[in-house]
Amino acid sequence: MQTPAGTLALKVGGPTQLMLERVGGSCYPIHPLWLRERCRDAASMDLKTQQRLADPSDIDLDVKIVALAQPAPGSFRIKFSDGHEALFSAADILEEAALAPNSHDCPAPQLWDGTLGELPRARWRADPSEAERLSWLQAFLTLGFVIFEGVPTQPGSVLKVGAMFGFTRETNFGALFDVRSTPNATDLAYTSVSLDPHTDNPYRAPVPGIQLLHCLVNETSGGLSTLVDGFAVAESLRAHDPAAFAVLANTPVRFKYIDAHAELTASAPPIELDVTGALKSIHFSPRLDFVPLFPPETLDTYFRARRQFDQRLRAPDFEIRFLLGAGDLVMFDNCRLLHGRTGFDPSEGLRHLQGCYIDIDGPRSLYRVLRRCGAQHGSLRRSA
Ligand SMILES: [Fe+2]
């Protein structure tokens, strides 16, 4: 049996061997223990929760396949040396074998830069079809953001939009926060100055994964929202200056926030990788970062690398700008994208946004559930 893409196939390698074949590539026997711990019968797992009933580390490390049969096309009956016997679906084995080690079985990111002409925009509907939700999620998961238009401008609406995709991450700023210029601001976000690209709350553990910003009023001509794909910038740095990339991926930086009621601190490298070396998260906020006191030569290389990264992040080559008008809401991946805004003149009028955070895994979970239900996604309008 082959996967739809035709890149993987299962074949019987002998009376006690099942082989995985990568078309045009490698072919190897599937480890018996890998199969044994995937038995999906009622003796091995709770069929309702699909959770194992026993610890797989207790399975004999030398477990073997002692009999292999194909009762029907696309299924295998396997008997193991510990006496257990189970039926396997070839489709299930291939589906899991097709996953890359760091795959989240969701649409892969499509990196973008300042030439991204058409922005993912959608008309907000409080009761969307499954196809609409899937198209919103597709845009969010690939590009890292989506802009909704026509979100009711009643205060608190941002929480309703967030609830469509995940669970609100309440912080010391509350369930939602207001972004407008105020006297005696505790954060520069609450002034009218321009904000360079940054990720929010790198001082928090865990970092809020997704941010939503909803414009209730904007009577100013400035205050454009800016977004930068941090993954695209990081990959550009990896390609052009691998040494700088390596320094930023391996230097823990301490981030700190302090006000009258909270003192938050967390450490993370500016470019966080997963165990395969793929990009996992960007932590970057030049107003809040404090590198530890390493020896001078180490700091020399760090400061040079940080400058390289920062200059790329602020370059117009990577940035997109757009105006959030009343009723517009942007939802973006705070682990991948950096956001900012241009300055504005508060004497022109009001500019009032409300924001909230939701956890990073909400949209991915919803995407999988909708796909499992068989929803087909429609098309999303893309416009500048
Ligand atoms: Fe921010």
Side-chain angles (χ1 to χ4, degrees), residues 173-192:
F173 301 133
L176 64 77
F177 46 89
D178 289 277
V179 183
R180 57 187 160 195
S181 59
T182 57
N184 305 318
T186 58
D187 191 296
L188 283 181
Y190 308 142
T191 69
S192 59

Side-chain angles (χ1 to χ4, degrees), residues 124 133 136-137 140-141 146 148 156-170 175 208-212 329 331-332 356-367 369-370:
W124 171 253
R133 282 196 289 174
W136 298 348
L137 291 164
F140 176 79
L141 293 170
V146 61
F148 293 110
S157 296
V158 68
L159 293 174
K160 292 181 181 164
V161 177
M164 173 87 69
F165 299 99
F167 295 98
T168 303
R169 173 80 187 284
E170 195 164 348
I210 294 167
Q211 182 170 180
L212 293 89
L329 182 152
M331 178 171 89
F332 57 90
C356 74
Y357 302 113
I358 61 173
D359 289 329
I360 191 74
D361 53 2
R364 290 191 182 119
S365 169
L366 182 58
Y367 180 87
V369 170
L370 290 172

Side-chain angles (χ1 to χ4, degrees), residues 187 189 195 198-201 211 213 287 332 334 339-340 357:
D187 191 296
L195 296 174
H198 63 279
T199 58
D200 259 22
N201 294 200
Q211 182 170 180
L213 282 174
R287 292 177 284 128
F332 57 90
N334 187 50
H339 64 285
Y357 302 113

Side-chain angles (χ1 to χ4, degrees), residues 44 60 105 110 114 126 154 156 179 198 204 210 227 238 285-286 292 322 376:
S44 303
D60 179 6
D105 64 354
Q110 293 171 9
Q154 279 86 29
V179 183
H198 63 279
R204 203 182 292 284
I210 294 167
L227 288 176
R238 173 145 54 184
S285 189
F322 52 93
Q376 301 288 321

